[in-house]
Amino acid sequence: AAPSCVLVSADYSQIELRILAHLSQDERLLTAFREDKDIHASTASEVFGVPMTGVTPDMRRVAKVVNFGIIYGMSDYGLEQATELSRDQAAQFIAAYFQRYPGVKSYLESTKQKAREKGYVETVMGRRRYIPDLDSGNRQVREAAERMAINMPVQGTAADIIKVAMVNLQKELDRRGLKSRLILQVHDDLLLESPLEEAEQARTLLREIMSGAMRLTVPLKVEVKIGRNWGDMEVDGNTADIPAPDSPKPNSQMPLL
């Protein structure tokens, strides 16, 4: 950041899984997010049949792979490759997952069916992607198209949400006459450069704008960090604790590349 400024960063927490919960309306997934549970530990608890307190790090890790892999149409082979499970164990885990989250399974199957009928899938906001390969005679091409059909509504909606947040944020910065600048978007993260005296206002504004960018049936959770540079960002850091920038060294020069 510039010498008189700090960086304020806001990141959507597990936005794709929250969108999946919204699209699928699966009751267990909705409940986990509404109660602000650790979604990976919650999935591990459901699938392994143990209480949350009995979930081990390995169980949570496998559940995390599946939670995100489901969005990409992960197969038992994919889970086998990403974990230490055998192919049979991976297949059993995925089957158990869909048994515990039947709404997700129904959503995935209906999405593929609708995509075949219409020739496209779309985001919550109605942005379409046409997928002609769903009728391909080549099995590998067809399965890749099915994975695309499953993924696009989720990942595409996430992209729509952060773009809405960017537009709304800039409008509000202009309306308030703030000097804070939106300088970067990285996946689900927005980065502002703010004068130190605006940092608290920018932090509040980022959280409000991003969490309200789209109304889903589960809350959009936003984690805000603040710091003098990207390496020193702290979650909800106190601006009063941010050190003053280093004084420039006399006769210092920018190194030549």
Side-chain angles (χ1 to χ4, degrees):
S4 60
C5 295
V6 293
L7 296 178
V8 185
S9 165
D11 181 47
Y12 281 116
S13 173
Q14 299 169 337
I15 186 170
E16 292 179 346
L17 293 178
R18 292 171 188 271
I19 292 167
L20 178 64
H22 172 81
L23 292 171
S24 69
Q25 290 295 296
D26 183 274
E27 285 300 327
R28 284 191 174 90
L29 209 51
L30 291 172
T31 298
F33 281 121
R34 285 169 177 164
E35 296 179 358
D36 199 23
K37 293 180 179 178
D38 176 336
I39 189 62
H40 305 310
S42 179
T43 296
S45 173
E46 290 284 355
V47 176
F48 285 107
V50 298
M52 289 279 281
T53 53
V55 173
T56 66
D58 282 344
M59 288 177 180
R60 186 183 184 279
R61 183 173 57 83
V62 172
K64 182 177 181 179
V65 171
V66 173
N67 273 335
F68 287 112
I70 288 297
I71 299 169
Y72 297 92
M74 175 179 275
S75 65
D76 53 4
Y77 172 77
L79 181 57
E80 177 195 20
Q81 295 300 304
T83 64
E84 296 168 3
L85 299 177
S86 68
R87 178 73 70 88
D88 286 344
Q89 288 173 324
Q92 290 170 13
F93 191 96
I94 291 174
Y97 175 95
F98 285 132
Q99 185 176 21
R100 300 303 293 171
Y101 298 97
V104 174
K105 184 175 179 61
S106 296
Y107 164 72
L108 298 181
E109 293 303 322
S110 66
T111 297
K112 288 188 287 186
Q113 182 59 35
K114 289 177 183 177
R116 289 190 190 95
E117 293 171 357
K118 296 181 177 181
Y120 64 84
V121 289
E122 57 187 356
T123 67
V124 171
M125 295 187 72
R127 185 163 56 86
R128 295 180 182 180
R129 177 165 187 169
Y130 288 85
I131 310 178
D133 288 336
L134 284 165
D135 293 326
S136 173
N138 183 308
R139 182 177 62 85
Q140 288 184 321
V141 172
R142 186 173 63 253
E143 289 178 352
E146 288 179 351
R147 290 193 294 272
M148 190 183 301
I150 288 169
N151 176 248
M152 187 273 177
V154 177
Q155 201 166 40
T157 297
D160 289 350
I161 288 173
I162 200 159
K163 287 177 176 62
V164 169
M166 291 168 70
V167 171
N168 292 347
L169 176 64
Q170 189 60 56
K171 286 180 179 178
E172 193 61 20
L173 290 173
D174 293 342
R175 189 185 72 80
R176 298 189 186 192
L178 298 178
K179 296 179 181 178
S180 298
R181 301 185 302 140
L182 178 60
I183 58 175
L184 198 63
Q185 176 217 343
V186 184
H187 301 299
D188 304 325
D189 192 334
L190 295 183
L191 189 69
L192 278 179
E193 183 181 65
S194 298
L196 189 56
E197 64 272 14
E198 286 184 10
E200 290 299 329
Q201 192 174 358
R203 174 180 14 215
T204 301
L205 187 59
L206 260 179
R207 179 175 276 120
E208 289 177 354
I209 293 290
M210 290 179 67
S211 62
M214 184 180 291
R215 185 175 296 278
L216 303 179
T217 45
V218 295
L220 286 174
K221 188 175 181 180
V222 179
E223 183 179 80
V224 183
K225 298 179 182 178
I226 195 164
R228 179 66 66 182
N229 59 59
W230 218 349
D232 294 335
M233 305 291 276
E234 293 185 10
V235 177
D236 286 327
N238 189 340
T239 52
D241 296 333
I242 295 175
D246 295 334
S247 300
K249 297 179 181 179
N251 301 321
S252 63
Q253 293 182 340
M254 185 73 81
L256 297 176
L257 298 178

